[in-house]
């Protein structure tokens, strides 16, 4: 069964950094475009970054220049390096494909940025 497990979140002060990880199983990871999403309470889920199987990346304007998405196909893992964090980055972060068909959503990992 396809599964995504996110980790690496936490509480950090504004200006700090975190590195999120997402381990995938049950999918052909090396051929899959993957993305990182976030969702804060009362807001819609937002795609913040994606990476193709070839390593091409795209970012939402709100995180461009601060976040970096990467992948390790041997480990079936996608990463999100988050620098210069802001309180507005506070959210539950998920990984998944950026378009359908989606994998069953994982539990996400909480990122909280204090001012």
């Amino acid at each position: 069964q396809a599964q995504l497990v996110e980790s690496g979140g936490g509480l950090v002060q504004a200006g700090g950094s975190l590195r999120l990880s997402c381990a995938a199983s049950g999918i052909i990871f090396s051929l899959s475009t993957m993305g990182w999403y976030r969702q804060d309470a009362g807001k819609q889920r937002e795609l913040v970054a994606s990476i193709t199987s070839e390593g091409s990346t795209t970012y939402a304007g709100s995180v461009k220049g601060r976040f970096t998405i990467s992948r390790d196909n041997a480990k079936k893992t996608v990463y999100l390096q988050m620098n210069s964090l802001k309180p507005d980055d506070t959210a539950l972060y998920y990984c998944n494909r950026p378009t359908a068909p989606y994998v069953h959503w994982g539990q996400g990992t909480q990122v909280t940025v204090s001012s």
Side-chain angles (χ1 to χ4, degrees):
Q1 182 176 351
Q3 188 176 18
L4 300 168
V5 179
E6 300 91 350
S7 63
L11 173 63
V12 63
Q13 289 189 333
S17 298
L18 284 173
R19 188 194 194 204
L20 307 184
S21 299
C22 170
S25 59
I27 63 172
I28 306 176
F29 182 83
S30 62
L31 299 180
S32 299
T33 296
M34 297 297 296
W36 279 98
Y37 296 78
R38 66 185 181 187
Q39 186 171 22
D40 198 9
K43 297 181 181 178
Q44 286 192 329
R45 189 172 292 173
E46 172 192 20
L47 178 65
V48 298
S50 63
I51 184 167
T52 69
S53 57
E54 294 86 7
S56 296
T57 58
T58 58
Y59 298 93
S62 57
V63 307
K64 200 167 188 178
R66 300 188 298 121
F67 290 11
T68 302
I69 188 171
S70 61
R71 64 190 297 156
D72 184 332
N73 287 338
K75 295 182 178 179
K76 297 184 179 182
T77 300
V78 60
Y79 304 97
L80 187 68
Q81 177 67 44
M82 306 186 296
N83 299 328
S84 303
L85 283 162
K86 305 175 182 180
D88 283 350
D89 296 318
T90 294
L92 190 58
Y93 283 71
Y94 303 87
C95 68
N96 212 317
R97 295 187 175 116
T99 57
Y102 300 104
V103 182
H104 182 74
W105 292 89
Q107 295 297 309
T109 187
Q110 178 67 38
V111 172
T112 302
V113 185
S114 63
S115 57

